[in-house]
């Protein structure tokens, strides 16, 4: 019995001593979250991801920005180069077109000059629009006679003098502009009739032809044919008796009138018949085509 009691006491003594030893050896565990070592991760593991995120974002931003700038620069440069090339091509094309137009104009102008040289008896060459030795020689002869620079070239001064002298030979002589305007006003109110050429009814060109015929001056029947007569004048150069042309129902010179002075002209209008109108009226201003001088008495045109 004594042995049994001694063993029981030993077991009890051992059991009582174990918690204290365990508590001394093991760390104190608390239910509070801020003291629990298991619940809170190590400081190193917290610091690394927090610091890494902004750094990676900055690095990504830098790496994204650098290639973007490097890639965009050449892309922007290429369109500029292409734009310059296209601009050069366009400028070349426009220059070529302008030169072609100038050549066409010079050819037409030269052909007119050759016609006028024939009228004045300086040449018997057929008008071709090409400068030849015969044309150059005829121009020199004309320039010498009218005291111009005798270089055989068709400059502005030579061309204007040439066209005027030919017109002075072929144009309507002796009839004065005031006489034409006075006769034009005489038929005020005559109704408009398409194709009309009498006082019972006029169309525009029939009216103009009738007025000039009444003054013993000849003109072609149609407006576009009348527009080829005489010499060209600007609005500032207009004098009473000059012809003014407009584009109305058809392209080109499809309406004609007789300039009366002070910016006004007589014509047979389709709405009110023969009437006095103004070049400043919106309708006529927008449709103005040009003017021709057919009366020699209205004087030479100086550019």
């Amino acid at each position: 019995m004594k042995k049994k009691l001694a063993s029981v006491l030993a077991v009890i003594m051992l059991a009582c001593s174990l918690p204290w030893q365990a508590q001394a050896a093991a760390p104190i565990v608390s239910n509070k979250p801020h003291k629990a070592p298991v619940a809170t991760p190590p400081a190193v593991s917290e610091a690394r991801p927090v610091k890494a995120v902004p750094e990676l974002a900055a690095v990504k931003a830098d790496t994204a920005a650098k290639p973007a700038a490097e890639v965009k620069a050449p892309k922007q440069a290429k369109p500029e180069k292409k734009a310059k090339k296209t601009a050069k091509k366009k400028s070349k094309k426009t220059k070529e077109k302008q030169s072609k137009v100038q050549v066409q104009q010079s050819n037409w102008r030269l052909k007119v000059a050759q016609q006028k040289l024939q009228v004045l008896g300086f040449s018997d060459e057929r008008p071709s629009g090409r400068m030849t030795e015969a044309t150059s020689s005829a121009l020199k002869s004309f320039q010498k006679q009218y005291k111009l620079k005798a270089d055989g070239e068709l400059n502005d001064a030579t061309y204007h003098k040439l066209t005027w002298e030919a017109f002075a030979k072929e144009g309507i002589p002796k009839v004065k502009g005031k006489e034409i305007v006075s006769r034009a006003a005489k038929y005020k109110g005559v109704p408009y009739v398409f194709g009309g050429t009498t006082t019972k009814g006029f169309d525009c060109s029939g009216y103009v032809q009738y007025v000039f015929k009444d003054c013993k001056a000849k003109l072609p029947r149609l407006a576009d044919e009348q527009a080829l007569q005489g010499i060209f004048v600007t609005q500032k150069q207009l004098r009473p008796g000059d012809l003014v042309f407009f584009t109305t129902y058809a392209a080109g010179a499809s309406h004609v009138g007789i300039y009366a002075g002070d910016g006004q002209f007589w014509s047979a209008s389709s709405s009110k018949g023969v009437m006095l109108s103004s070049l400043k009226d919106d309708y006529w201003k927008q449709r103005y085509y040009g003017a021709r001088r057919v009366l020699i008495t209205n004087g030479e045109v100086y550019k």
Side-chain angles (χ1 to χ4, degrees):
M1 289 295 291
K2 288 181 182 180
K3 291 179 179 179
K4 290 182 180 180
L5 288 173
S7 60
V8 169
L9 288 171
V11 171
I12 293 169
M13 291 279 297
L14 182 60
C16 293
S17 62
L18 283 174
W20 293 102
Q21 292 173 357
Q23 289 177 2
I28 298 172
V29 178
S30 174
N31 292 328
K32 295 181 180 180
H34 67 278
K35 291 184 180 180
V38 177
T40 56
V44 176
S45 61
E46 287 180 356
R48 284 180 181 173
V50 172
K51 290 181 180 179
V53 171
E55 288 175 0
L56 287 173
V59 170
K60 286 180 180 180
D62 291 338
T63 53
K66 286 179 181 178
E70 291 173 358
V71 173
K72 284 183 181 179
K75 283 184 178 179
Q76 290 176 355
K78 286 180 180 178
E80 288 178 359
K81 290 180 180 178
K82 288 181 180 179
K84 289 180 180 179
K85 288 180 180 179
T86 52
K88 288 181 180 179
K89 288 180 180 179
K90 287 181 180 179
S91 63
K92 286 181 180 179
K93 287 181 179 179
T94 52
K95 286 180 180 179
E96 288 175 359
K97 287 180 180 179
Q98 289 175 355
S99 63
K100 286 180 181 179
V101 171
Q102 288 175 356
V103 169
Q104 290 174 356
Q105 288 177 347
S106 63
N107 288 344
W108 173 84
R109 183 168 166 158
L110 183 56
K111 190 173 183 178
V112 172
Q114 289 170 334
Q115 291 172 345
K116 304 307 180 185
L117 287 169
Q118 278 187 331
V119 171
L120 296 172
F122 286 91
S123 174
D124 55 0
E125 182 184 19
R126 183 179 178 180
S128 62
R130 295 187 299 272
M131 180 62 76
T132 63
E133 291 183 5
T135 301
S136 180
S137 177
L139 285 172
K140 284 182 181 180
S141 299
F142 174 82
Q143 290 166 340
K144 287 178 181 179
Q145 182 170 331
Y146 290 94
K147 298 179 180 180
L148 299 171
K149 184 179 179 181
D151 54 6
E153 295 181 2
L154 187 61
N155 50 46
D156 290 342
T158 301
Y159 181 78
H160 296 315
K161 188 64 176 176
L162 186 59
T163 53
W164 170 257
E165 292 301 327
F167 166 69
K169 186 175 181 179
E170 295 181 318
I172 299 172
K174 298 180 181 179
V175 181
K176 295 182 179 181
K178 290 182 179 180
E179 184 181 353
I180 295 291
V181 173
S182 177
R183 293 297 178 95
K186 182 180 176 181
Y187 303 108
K188 179 181 179 181
V190 173
Y192 179 88
V193 175
F194 185 78
T197 58
T198 68
T199 54
K200 293 181 180 179
F202 289 119
D203 64 11
C204 63
S205 57
Y207 164 67
V208 171
Q209 186 190 46
Y210 190 91
V211 170
F212 274 76
K213 185 178 180 181
D214 209 12
C215 296
K216 298 180 180 180
K218 292 182 179 180
L219 278 180
R221 169 65 181 90
L222 302 177
D224 56 352
E225 294 174 342
Q226 294 172 1
L228 299 176
Q229 301 299 302
I231 56 175
F232 171 81
V233 291
T234 65
Q235 283 195 31
K236 292 181 179 179
Q237 296 167 338
L238 280 171
R239 291 183 180 179
D242 290 339
L243 302 182
V244 287
F245 297 89
F246 305 87
T247 300
T248 53
Y249 67 90
S254 52
H255 186 79
V256 59
I258 300 169
Y259 186 70
D262 298 327
Q264 297 180 315
F265 66 97
W266 288 100
S267 72
S269 66
S270 58
S271 58
K272 297 181 180 180
V274 176
M275 63 178 294
L276 188 65
S277 304
S278 175
L279 292 173
K280 295 181 180 179
D281 290 343
D282 290 338
Y283 180 84
W284 298 115
K285 185 178 181 180
Q286 293 174 4
R287 291 164 175 78
Y288 185 78
Y289 183 76
R292 305 289 291 184
R293 179 161 296 169
V294 294
L295 300 177
I296 298 173
T297 55
N298 273 355
E300 186 173 355
V301 178
Y302 296 95
K303 297 293 181 180

